Amino acid sequence: MHIILVSSRLTRARSVSLSTVHLIAGTLVLGVAVLALAGAVFYVSVRHAAEIKLPVLNSLVLSVQEEQARKSDNFLRENLNAMAVKLGQMQARLMRLDALGERLSALAGIRPQEFRFNEVPGRGGAVSTSVPPRTLSLAEFSQELDTLSRHMENRTDYLGILESTLFDATVKKKLMPTITPVDAGWNASSFGWRIDPFTGDRALHEGIDFVADVGTPVFAAAGGVVVVAEPHPQFGNMVEIDHGNDFMTRYAHASKVLVKSGEVVRRGRKIAEVGSTGRSTGPHLHFEVRHKGVAQNPARFLQASVR
Ligand SMILES: [Zn+2]
């Protein structure tokens, strides 16, 4: 391209020749300049619209902000309503949890005051006519939800403790030798000092004797592990069961032993049959309860005729 420049200051016309390269370079420079200017105007208008006095820009930015605020306000309002319903449900659930906690603590023998289940008083009642109800602010609502969430966490912890206490108690109860081992009365010979039927001396009788016919079933007084199931010179055919918690029971003079050493037996399981083996004057079951190796009075553990 040829451009001819004519001016009064020039003595003669000048001719400038522009190549395609010149044209492309010029266009690029112009494009970059336009973009940079547009960017600068946009930045200034958005960041400093409030500071600089550009009424048109100002109102434009403000209207956009208002629109956004209105949208988010609507969004929050809708969510707040939905969450308020949820809050009500959580409160109701918490009340049920409290009632359950009180029942559980009574069951576990824990005083309810220890866990202060009544810390939050009951709510409800008529809507006040003098003070109109007002809508909950988001901050207030958030605070309410946090408090409730904390309360529920506490209750869950308390109930966890109660549950484990109850569970322990149930397990211990199951492992206590409280089942009468034979369907028979134990009047034959009670726990304590007595005249030995063989020697005639006073001797400590460390169990109780149930008189029953040979072959009468003998039951485990509690669940546990059989630790002895073998003949003994004095106790005859004998079974010993370890119940854990340092408790052990002994069943002596059996005609038949139905368990082996190491076997785990359920509470009330038939483990032997009444006999008169060992140092015995007639068919009966000699039954002992030992705690830490010390003989206890089995009568204290047995529930009369309950199996
Ligand atoms: Zn005995």
Side-chain angles (χ1 to χ4, degrees):
M1 187 189 279
H2 283 276
I3 294 172
I4 299 163
L5 297 170
V6 184
S7 168
S8 55
R9 286 187 284 166
L10 296 172
T11 48
R12 62 187 178 91
R14 268 192 170 178
S15 159
V16 176
S17 173
L18 289 175
S19 71
T20 317
V21 177
H22 281 123
L23 268 177
I24 290 171
T27 313
L28 276 178
V29 167
L30 193 70
V32 169
V34 166
L35 279 177
L37 189 70
V41 168
F42 181 75
Y43 179 79
V44 167
S45 66
V46 171
R47 291 295 298 266
H48 305 286
E51 297 156 30
I52 55 174
K53 300 292 174 203
L54 287 175
V56 178
L57 268 182
N58 243 353
S59 63
L60 198 74
V61 168
L62 277 178
S63 74
V64 167
Q65 283 175 345
E66 271 166 16
E67 174 67 12
Q68 276 177 347
R70 199 178 56 75
K71 271 186 186 170
S72 70
D73 191 51
N74 279 350
F75 176 77
L76 281 178
R77 182 71 46 212
E78 280 167 18
N79 274 280
L80 208 57
N81 289 341
M83 283 164 89
V85 172
K86 205 170 177 176
L87 180 71
Q89 286 171 349
M90 276 172 84
Q91 281 169 334
R93 201 174 297 148
L94 189 66
M95 280 168 77
R96 277 209 302 274
L97 211 62
D98 280 355
L100 173 71
E102 276 179 36
R103 283 204 303 276
L104 276 176
S105 51
L107 217 79
I110 297 170
R111 289 180 306 145
Q113 302 93 282
E114 282 182 45
F115 285 156
R116 283 195 275 258
F117 275 109
N118 293 321
E119 204 173 41
V120 181
R123 292 187 213 173
V127 176
S128 168
T129 46
S130 54
V131 184
R134 62 182 185 85
T135 320
L136 216 59
S137 81
L138 191 63
E140 285 171 331
F141 179 74
S142 179
Q143 205 180 354
E144 281 271 323
L145 214 61
D146 281 350
T147 310
L148 192 62
S149 174
R150 219 166 32 243
H151 281 165
M152 285 188 106
E153 252 173 57
N154 287 344
R155 300 304 190 280
T156 310
D157 287 350
Y158 295 154
L159 290 182
I161 295 168
L162 286 178
E163 200 179 40
S164 65
T165 308
L166 276 181
F167 182 73
D168 282 357
T170 311
V171 168
K172 274 184 188 152
K173 204 175 166 191
K174 277 194 174 167
L175 292 175
M176 278 290 177
T178 51
I179 287 183
T180 310
V182 176
D183 282 333
W186 67 73
N187 295 322
S189 199
S190 300
F191 181 84
W193 292 94
R194 65 167 189 182
I195 303 297
D196 188 280
F198 285 89
T199 62
D201 295 334
R202 261 173 74 81
L204 182 65
H205 187 229
E206 296 192 320
I208 50 178
D209 291 343
F210 294 87
V211 174
D213 293 336
V214 173
T216 306
V218 175
F219 306 104
V225 180
V226 176
V227 284
V228 173
E230 59 191 23
H232 182 278
Q234 290 185 21
F235 289 116
N237 293 325
M238 178 178 79
V239 175
E240 277 181 15
I241 301 175
D242 188 334
H243 304 291
N245 287 325
D246 299 318
F247 274 102
M248 194 211 88
T249 48
R250 178 178 283 168
Y251 313 77
H253 311 302
S255 59
K256 211 185 269 181
V257 168
L258 306 168
V259 288
K260 290 185 179 68
S261 182
E263 211 172 306
V264 176
V265 289
R266 262 190 314 108
R267 185 178 170 77
R269 147 117 188 252
K270 185 182 172 185
I271 52 166
E273 287 177 4
V274 172
S276 187
T277 54
R279 201 164 172 264
S280 166
T281 55
H284 77 286
L285 171 77
H286 171 87
F287 175 65
E288 286 180 17
V289 173
R290 287 177 179 271
H291 182 247
K292 292 184 176 173
V294 180
Q296 309 289 315
N297 184 359
R300 278 176 44 221
F301 296 92
L302 300 180
Q303 299 166 327
S305 68
V306 174
R307 194 180 73 243

